[in-house]
Each structure stands twice: as structure tokens, then as C-alpha cells.
Amino acid sequence: MILVSLRVALRAFGRNPLRTGLTMLGLIIGVGAVVTMVALGNGAGQSVHDNVQSAGTNLVHVNAGNFTRGGEESKIATGLGSATTLTTADADAIARAVPGIKYSAPGVRFRGWMTAGDRRSYGQVIGTDVAWPAIYGWSFERGRFFPAKQVGGREAVAVLGQTVRDRLFGDGVNPVGREIRIRDRAFKVVGVSNSQDEDQIEMAVVPYTALQDLLGIAYLHTITIAAEQAGDATRLVGDITALLRDRHKPHTDAAVARLRSSALGGNQMPNGGTGLTPDDFTVKSQAAEALTKGLYTSVAAFILANMPKLDEVNMGEMASTLQQAGTTMTALLAGIAAISLIVGGIGIMNIMLVSVTERTREIGLRRAVGARARDVRLQFLVEAVALSAAGGVLGIVLGFAASAVLTRLLEWPTAFSASAVLLAFGTAGAVGIFFGFYPAQRASRLNPIDALRTE
């Protein structure tokens, strides 16, 4: 009976396609608006989530070498000074073994002259990996960042800060495709950063492999790590320190043995009498570096000991902020969806009532030849559901298209989910049942004799 009613409904739609299209238009717009808003809402929610989770000081810096003046006073191993033991293998091991890391970039540093023709600029040259723009949230005024292929190929390419660009090529000039020289090696400029950081606008960024070749080294100076959550940075510091101590133990043991067998002794020993094993690296979070800068070692040690408590407060505040943002976004989307679908449903109800009036004689004939009231009710209910389902499908297509256009025009992130699409389609069907039931019920209650007399 349902299939028969569906065929009848399709024939009824075909008799007046313009009215059918206008009827579905309200639901198409409603469902399209729901799909678009859900996609934009999910994208915005994810963007807010990422921004809140990474808000503040979420960076961890691993540096080669270690020396802490006065560390013995606080039972801190004073370290082994400069070191060449930090390697790309260490960076890979950290990214692989330590949970909670979002981005990681090995690095090499060099400070020197950069030249372009008769112009030159003295500043920092940073050798890094492809995760650098994501770590620092870079966008680009010109060009792009170098891809992994160029890092692996050890290619001599560079991204310039705006100040370096202005000094070497002139204010606002597009340097992409031109060359600069660092230590007599030519580097092709592939991009200009939009960063406004005071340090980053005066630096050039190149693949760390190319800078290693330029300096003739195989080790790293630093590893920059971005935590997935700012409140997790202190925990990452502890995990990374433990991992590197285990990996570097042969180096540190050998270095201490060499010092003990040399003429140096007493206060010259890195342990400083603490009995702790010295490190040949330092690991600090961005927050720890900012809070302990310029402080005495004992005061800095006290602050570092209380960093986990500060992280707990940050995590609690961020969780509360995310919950409030999610609640607000859900309420907004629910309100828009409800209004859109109600408008579409009212349109279907109006047209179905008109259809019942126009087809009163047809209803009388069906009842006269044996159709029951529930058969008539089912017929009109199937028509309403078919109308809403067709509008739902077209609305979903419209929603995908509108989201793509908005993303391209406004650069607004979107995120689709299968559950949202299924919910939109299911809701369209529910709207058809809800708003189609009254016209169907009204049609089923028509008196056959009165219906047959209708002209």
C-alpha cells in the first residue's frame, strides 16, 4: 500500500511541478540552512577548541647543552655546558614516544650576515622543519613555506621576516624567486612571513638540513614542541626529560668520566656536589622560561616546582570556557534549525491542505470503490513525507554547496559529519510526518457522499 501511495504521490507531484518545487523550496532552504550552519558551527567550534586548547604558553623548548649557575644550592645538577649530542633521532623519538604532542620541529640556529646584491642584514637564521608555521601560527604575505620534500632534499630555500625583506630588497618588494646569500651560499626566497613577533620579523627561516650542511654539523641546537593543550606543557617537560636522559646516558656518563680523569676537579665538576647525574640538554616550557627569566636559581626552582598546580588551574579554566562555548553554539544552531524547519513544515501543510481541497472528488471516488479512511490518510501522509524527503535531499546538497562557497569566500572553516547529514534528512522526514498528519487526517474524515458531490 505504501508503494502504491508513493506512485500516486509522484504522479500528483508531476501534474504541477512548479507548485511542487515552490512547496519544497521552504524545506530546501531550511535543511540547507541547517546543514550549512552545522558545518560552519562545527568548524567554528573546532577552531575555538584549538585556540583555547593552545591558548597561552603551549610551547616546550629542548636545547642542546646545559649549565645552571648555582644549581647545587637547590640540588640541581649543574649540567655539562655545551653539547653536540641532540640529534634528529632524538626529535623523532620524542614525537613518537611522548603523548600529547601536536607539532614538533627540529632546529639549528645561526647568527650572521644575510646579503642580497649590495644590501645586507645581520640577524638570526633559523633552520627548522615544516611544522614551524603551525607551531607559531604563521600566515604569509607572499609565497609559502617550504614543504617536506625540500627539507628532505636539503634544498637552499628561505622564508624571510618582513624586516629582513625590507632591508635586503626594499619596503614592500616581493622577493619570492630572488636569492639571498648566507655564508656565501645562495638561498632562493620562497615566502615572506606575516608574523608580527619582534624577533621573527628580523629572521630568515630555512630547512634545518640545509643549515646543517652550511655549518658543517650533523646535530641539532634545539627542538621546538607544541603541546596539544597548554596545561599539559609541564607534564611534557617531565616526560621529554626522562626520555632524553635515558637516550643520552652513555654520553653523559662518558663526559663525566672524562672530567673525573682530567686535571679538573672539586667545584669544576658538573655535579657541584649534589650527587645528581648532569644533563647535556635543557627542557623548559615557554611559561617556565618566562616566569624564571632573571631569577635566582633557588627562586626559579621553587616556581618550577609549582608549575603543575598552575597548569591544573589553566586546564580547569579552559575546560569551563570550552563547555560554555559549546553550549552557546548548540543553542544558536538549535534555534536557527527550529525556525527554518518550522517555516518549511508550514509550507508543506498549506500545500497539502490545498491538495486535499482540490482532490476532494478523487477522495470520494476512492472511498466509494472501497478505500478505507486509513488508506486515504496513508496516501496523503506518504505524499507529505515524500515531499519533505525530496526537499531534505536537495537541502543537503544546497548545504554542502553553500558551505563550500562560504569557506572559499570568507575563509571560514567547515566540518561535516555523517551524523549531522543523517539528522538533517531524518528531521526533514519527521517534519513531513508532523505537518502532513493534519491534512491527511482531514482527508480521511471526508464524507464520501459529500466528496462525490463536490464540483
Side-chain angles (χ1 to χ4, degrees), residues 76 284 288 291-293 295-305:
I76 298 174
K284 277 190 177 182
L291 291 174
T292 60
K293 185 177 182 179
L295 299 178
Y296 289 109
T297 302
S298 57
V299 178
F302 174 79
I303 292 175
L304 292 176

Side-chain angles (χ1 to χ4, degrees), residues 14 17 101 106 117 137 185 206 238 240 259 265 274 280 297 300 320 326 345 375 421 444:
I101 292 177
R185 183 177 181 184
V206 302
I240 293 169
L259 285 172
T274 63
D280 58 356
T297 302
S320 176
D375 296 329
V421 173
S444 68

Side-chain angles (χ1 to χ4, degrees), residues 348-362:
I348 289 178
M349 177 184 286
N350 289 336
I351 294 302
M352 291 306 299
L353 288 173
V354 171
S355 180
V356 169
T357 301
E358 289 179 345
R359 297 161 63 186
T360 301
R361 187 174 180 81
E362 175 189 329

Side-chain angles (χ1 to χ4, degrees), residues 27 340-353 431 435:
L27 200 63
S340 301
L341 292 174
I342 287 174
V343 171
I346 291 174
I348 289 178
M349 177 184 286
N350 289 336
I351 294 302
M352 291 306 299
L353 288 173
V431 166
F435 287 96

Side-chain angles (χ1 to χ4, degrees), residues 129-142:
D129 208 348
V130 294
W132 180 273
I135 290 174
Y136 287 101
W138 271 18
S139 58
F140 295 90
E141 180 184 313
R142 302 280 188 177

Side-chain angles (χ1 to χ4, degrees), residues 46 71 107 111 113 118 126 157 200 258 266 278 301 315 317 362 389:
Q46 187 60 49
R111 184 172 288 276
W113 289 103
D118 58 352
I126 297 293
V157 293
Q200 294 176 0
R258 286 195 300 271
M315 288 291 287
E317 291 181 349
E362 175 189 329

Side-chain angles (χ1 to χ4, degrees), residues 84-100:
T84 59
T85 53
L86 192 64
T87 64
T88 306
D90 291 329
D92 294 338
I94 290 171
R96 182 174 58 252
V98 179

Side-chain angles (χ1 to χ4, degrees), residues 132-216:
W132 180 273
I135 290 174
Y136 287 101
W138 271 18
S139 58
F140 295 90
E141 180 184 313
R142 302 280 188 177
R144 55 169 177 78
F145 203 74
F146 43 80
K149 179 180 179 181
Q150 291 183 313
V151 177
R154 315 181 86 85
E155 295 185 27
V157 293
V159 175
L160 305 182
Q162 293 176 352
T163 300
V164 175
R165 183 272 313 274
D166 294 343
R167 289 174 181 170
L168 295 180
F169 297 99
D171 294 351
V173 173
N174 181 10
V176 174
R178 300 171 68 174
E179 290 186 349
I180 64 171
R181 300 194 73 83
I182 304 172
R183 269 199 175 185
D184 295 328
R185 183 177 181 184
F187 283 76
K188 181 180 179 181
V189 179
V190 295
V192 178
S193 166
N194 250 340
S195 173
Q196 300 302 311
D197 184 270
E198 292 183 0
D199 295 326
Q200 294 176 0
I201 61 176
E202 296 187 351
M203 66 172 56
V205 180
V206 302
Y208 76 92
T209 50
L211 193 55
Q212 283 179 326
D213 293 342
L214 184 68
L215 301 178

